[in-house]
Amino acid sequence: MIQPATGQGPLYRQTRDLMIRRIADGDWEPGQRLPSEWDLADEFGVSQGTVRKALNDLADENMVLRHQGRGTFVASHTSQRELFHFFHLEAPGGVRQLPVTSRLVGVSSRRASRDDMERLGLSTNAHVVDIQRVRDLGGKPVISEHITLAAKRFPSLAQEDDPPNELYQFYEQRFGMTVHRAVEQLRAIAAGAWEAEQLGVKRGAPLLEINRIAETVDGTPIEWRRSRCNTQNHQYLSEILK
Amino acid sequence: MIQPATGQGPLYRQTRDLMIRRIADGDWEPGQRLPSEWDLADEFGVSQGTVRKALNDLADENMVLRHQGRGTFVASHTSQRELFHFFHLEAPGGVRQLPVTSRLVGVSSRRASRDDMERLGLSTNAHVVDIQRVRDLGGKPVISEHITLAAKRFPSLAQEDDPPNELYQFYEQRFGMTVHRAVEQLRAIAAGAWEAEQLGVKRGAPLLEINRIAETVDGTPIEWRRSRCNTQNHQYLSEILK
DNA sequence: TCTTATATGTCTTATATAGGAATTTTGATG
DNA sequence: CATCAAAATTCCTATATAAGACATATAAGA
């Protein structure tokens, strides 16, 4: 099917946008191989060079992965990716490792608060699911996490009594929701009674609070997460490459 | 002058590396306009397309800026860039603004400690310069900063009694040292007597500590900076685009 | 002098061609 | 069936050409 130029901006950009739409709509699923550059060029009615530029742009944005000789694949969540892009706590030596153990505090459902509605772009009367857990690093509890999701987007999640440790893979495989980017806001807070108990620190001890909003490819916010971390033996890594 | 292929890797990569070298060596200075794509192609003995790919890569890495019709320029530090890439504290509304006022605590010189030597890649007996200041946001003291630099790389800096607020521009214009990337490590700490006084908080209040190492284009670490921030009314922003 | 064309220089977009590199598939052979 | 060689597939590198967009310098005219 030839897609005529929609008219806006350069061809490679329009081509990129069409492909993003396919990923966002699930026409191309995570892990799936895309048609070859030549086939896509045919399909979109542009030259192979134009498709190539669009694909390389998508690769730069981590929406697809390209492998010489094998093909181009829609990005999917692996432990590697989760560690590299979405987990920023490291031990002093620079060692980063995903928590392998965590203690589930609870999964529950409730009406969305005003804050939830704003953060997740929900309408009144929407329901949300809360997941609370404590994650271990180096054998000790270090992160107290509170996660909020729209119940509608994650049906039957509230009944889940043992969500896996790596949630983004779970979201993707089970609910077809792929997290693509996130924004985190950090501040220092004093541990309350709850965190003190969960993390084994004194009340009032300084903790690093990370508030994250995670979005899909098309920019829809699907997860809000508050992590309170004991940074006695760990630190948050932020690379400024630009 | 034709530069024969040095032999390693693809041509566009070699071309990129040659141009990085020119920037790192100061052959091309910050703000300076590069020769046109065609002239560079001539000079390096490759095609214009290859030079173009190399230049676009450099632009992606923020080493150069490209403007249609005007030319390609070596990146230099402006207030804009400093704010966008190197200043991550924002007010709750998402408003970010560089501190316009700051109180200089002192500039002094001393022998490098073992930590300094490691952090800045110095040899024994090297000297360093310390700058300490308190930066204001919204009219109130929010950041207590301690900056350490190699005295050799910043001659006569120790005599400076009023360094400007935007140091990276100062480093570049006065000492020819351009900061290109940085790594920050964050943790939550409790305010000591010193920070409590400087920032107007109680002793033991939670503060966000940011330890930054800033590097030049060729990866030499030139600045170590410890910022302790009152995050009562501000937060650190971290975007995860990848 | 000021304004308005014109020309020039530079980057941008789009296409085409050709060969190389990495991987997978196919087919022949034992 | 197992193994190895050949072919096919896919992405990667490099070059060339041509036209368009944007900005600035130059020249002509009022």
Side-chain angles (χ1 to χ4, degrees), chain A residues 37 39 44 64 90 96 133 145 150 185 202 213 223-224 230 233 235-236:
Chain A
E37 292 178 349
D39 288 352
F44 292 128
V64 300
E90 62 169 28
R96 231 184 324 166
R133 58 179 182 173
E145 264 181 357
Q185 295 172 327
K202 288 184 188 152
I213 290 176
E223 182 203 60
W224 184 77
N230 177 0
N233 293 305
Q235 54 205 359
Y236 181 99

Side-chain angles (χ1 to χ4, degrees), chain A residues 33-34 36-37 52 65-73:
Chain A
R33 199 181 85 180
L34 272 56
S36 74
E37 292 178 349
R52 182 169 175 74
L65 297 175
R66 315 202 71 191
H67 301 285
Q68 186 173 7
R70 298 214 287 128
T72 303
F73 303 81

Side-chain angles (χ1 to χ4, degrees), chain A residues 145-211:
Chain A
E145 264 181 357
H146 181 161
I147 294 161
T148 301
L149 306 156
K152 205 173 199 173
R153 298 190 185 117
F154 297 84
S156 82
L157 175 59
Q159 277 72 53
E160 187 67 43
D161 55 354
D162 186 28
N165 224 297
E166 289 169 27
L167 286 177
Y168 289 174
Q169 296 173 52
F170 181 62
Y171 296 167
E172 178 173 295
Q173 289 161 19
R174 175 78 164 275
F175 303 99
M177 305 294 297
T178 300
V179 169
H180 175 249
R181 69 184 287 270
V183 177
E184 297 189 330
Q185 295 172 327
L186 291 80
R187 51 163 34 102
I189 60 163
W194 170 260
E195 292 86 18
E197 188 198 324
Q198 299 296 314
L199 302 177
V201 297
K202 288 184 188 152
R203 273 200 58 175
L207 297 179
L208 180 64
E209 177 179 280
I210 307 171
N211 291 307

Side-chain angles (χ1 to χ4, degrees), chain A residues 37-226:
Chain A
E37 292 178 349
W38 287 100
D39 288 352
L40 287 170
D42 252 25
E43 191 173 351
F44 292 128
V46 299
S47 74
Q48 170 269 342
T50 298
V51 167
R52 182 169 175 74
K53 179 151 175 56
L55 284 172
N56 282 336
D57 286 355
L58 290 184
D60 288 343
E61 300 171 72
N62 287 304
M63 294 203 192
V64 300
L65 297 175
R66 315 202 71 191
H67 301 285
Q68 186 173 7
R70 298 214 287 128
T72 303
F73 303 81
V74 180
S76 72
H77 271 283
T78 62
S79 298
Q80 280 299 319
R81 188 179 181 194
E82 190 137 350
L83 175 63
F84 199 68
H85 294 306
F86 294 99
F87 191 80
H88 288 173
L89 275 196
E90 62 169 28
V95 186
R96 231 184 324 166
Q97 197 174 2
L98 279 177
V100 282
T101 58
S102 70
R103 191 172 65 74
L104 186 68
V105 177
V107 180
S108 56
S109 178
R110 60 177 170 84
R111 281 269 302 274
S113 71
R114 183 156 295 281
D115 279 349
D116 294 324
M117 284 163 41
E118 201 208 334
R119 290 194 274 244
L120 297 177
L122 304 177
S123 50
T124 357
N125 291 329
H127 281 70
V128 294
V129 178
D130 288 317
I131 301 174
Q132 290 187 61
R133 58 179 182 173
V134 178
R135 307 179 85 183
D136 296 336
L137 284 174
K140 304 205 165 167
V142 173
I143 310 169
S144 168
E145 264 181 357
H146 181 161
I147 294 161
T148 301
L149 306 156
K152 205 173 199 173
R153 298 190 185 117
F154 297 84
S156 82
L157 175 59
Q159 277 72 53
E160 187 67 43
D161 55 354
D162 186 28
N165 224 297
E166 289 169 27
L167 286 177
Y168 289 174
Q169 296 173 52
F170 181 62
Y171 296 167
E172 178 173 295
Q173 289 161 19
R174 175 78 164 275
F175 303 99
M177 305 294 297
T178 300
V179 169
H180 175 249
R181 69 184 287 270
V183 177
E184 297 189 330
Q185 295 172 327
L186 291 80
R187 51 163 34 102
I189 60 163
W194 170 260
E195 292 86 18
E197 188 198 324
Q198 299 296 314
L199 302 177
V201 297
K202 288 184 188 152
R203 273 200 58 175
L207 297 179
L208 180 64
E209 177 179 280
I210 307 171
N211 291 307
R212 169 193 291 181
I213 290 176
E215 299 177 353
T216 59
V217 166
D218 60 357
T220 312
I222 56 168
E223 182 203 60
W224 184 77
R225 180 185 293 218
R226 165 167 289 170

Side-chain angles (χ1 to χ4, degrees), chain B residues 78-87 166-169:
Chain B
T78 62
S79 298
Q80 279 300 319
R81 187 180 180 192
E82 191 137 349
L83 175 63
F84 198 69
H85 293 309
F86 293 100
F87 190 78
E166 289 168 28
L167 285 177
Y168 289 175
Q169 296 174 52

Side-chain angles (χ1 to χ4, degrees), chain B residues 18-82:
Chain B
L18 285 172
M19 294 196 286
I20 287 183
R21 187 106 302 281
R22 294 207 178 173
I23 294 172
D25 291 350
D27 297 342
W28 290 341
E29 296 187 358
Q32 188 181 326
R33 199 182 84 177
L34 273 53
S36 74
E37 292 178 350
W38 287 99
D39 288 351
L40 287 170
D42 253 24
E43 192 174 352
F44 292 128
V46 298
S47 74
Q48 171 268 343
T50 300
V51 167
R52 182 167 174 74
K53 178 151 177 55
L55 284 173
N56 282 337
D57 285 354
L58 290 184
D60 288 343
E61 300 172 73
N62 288 304
M63 295 205 190
V64 301
L65 297 175
R66 316 202 70 190
H67 301 284
Q68 185 174 10
R70 297 213 291 127
T72 304
F73 303 81
V74 180
S76 72
H77 271 284
T78 62
S79 298
Q80 279 300 319
R81 187 180 180 192
E82 191 137 349

Side-chain angles (χ1 to χ4, degrees), chain B residues 2 71 185:
Chain B
I2 292 175
Q185 295 171 328

